[in-house]
Amino acid sequence: MAAAAVPKPPKPPRPRAAGGPGAAALAAELRVALMRAARRLRAETSDADLSDSQYSVLALLERDGPRTPGEIAAYERVQPPSMTRTLAALLVLGLVTRTEHPSDRRQVLVSVTDAGAATVR
């Protein structure tokens, strides 16, 4: 008695080339969608007069806890002097505090205050 032939599974579709004709249209649609999402996020973030970078720093500190200014600058991909200005503005607004680093007296830790945490919630 002959065994029944087992059908072969269908071949998966071939991946399209990254630079194919639809890539430019997809990139344009994605760009528009991201711009709309960014605009909506800025409108809904809070009533405070904070820049996007200031809000991002507060959100980072609220989510991950205290960080050194250098760690925050690296995370935000900005130069340390720029982060120093951002942190100084947040300090004046009472949204962050600076404390002594527990193991390195040359460093400080930046923490979000209750007011800062409420701003990002």
Side-chain angles (χ1 to χ4, degrees):
M1 187 174 214
V6 178
K8 291 183 180 179
K11 290 183 178 179
R14 296 177 81 186
R16 292 181 14 200
L26 180 60
E29 287 181 42
L30 183 58
R31 186 178 308 112
V32 170
L34 285 172
M35 289 172 54
R36 286 180 181 155
R39 188 179 317 127
R40 183 156 184 185
L41 283 172
R42 276 193 295 274
E44 293 182 6
T45 51
S46 72
D47 295 332
D49 290 325
L50 296 178
S51 69
D52 290 343
S53 61
Q54 290 170 336
Y55 190 86
S56 181
V57 168
L58 286 178
L60 170 69
L61 294 173
E62 169 65 11
R63 183 183 66 238
D64 294 345
R67 297 280 179 255
T68 65
E71 290 171 334
I72 300 168
Y75 180 84
E76 293 291 324
R77 295 190 172 135
V78 298
Q79 294 297 313
S82 297
M83 185 51 60
T84 299
R85 288 188 294 276
T86 299
L87 293 174
L90 292 171
L91 189 63
V92 168
L93 293 171
L95 302 176
V96 297
T97 60
R98 293 176 187 233
T99 57
E100 199 174 283
H101 194 284
S103 61
D104 186 351
R105 294 182 55 185
R106 298 169 296 169
Q107 293 276 352
V108 295
L109 288 177
V110 180
S111 305
V112 67
T113 63
D114 290 340
T119 300
V120 294
R121 284 192 197 127

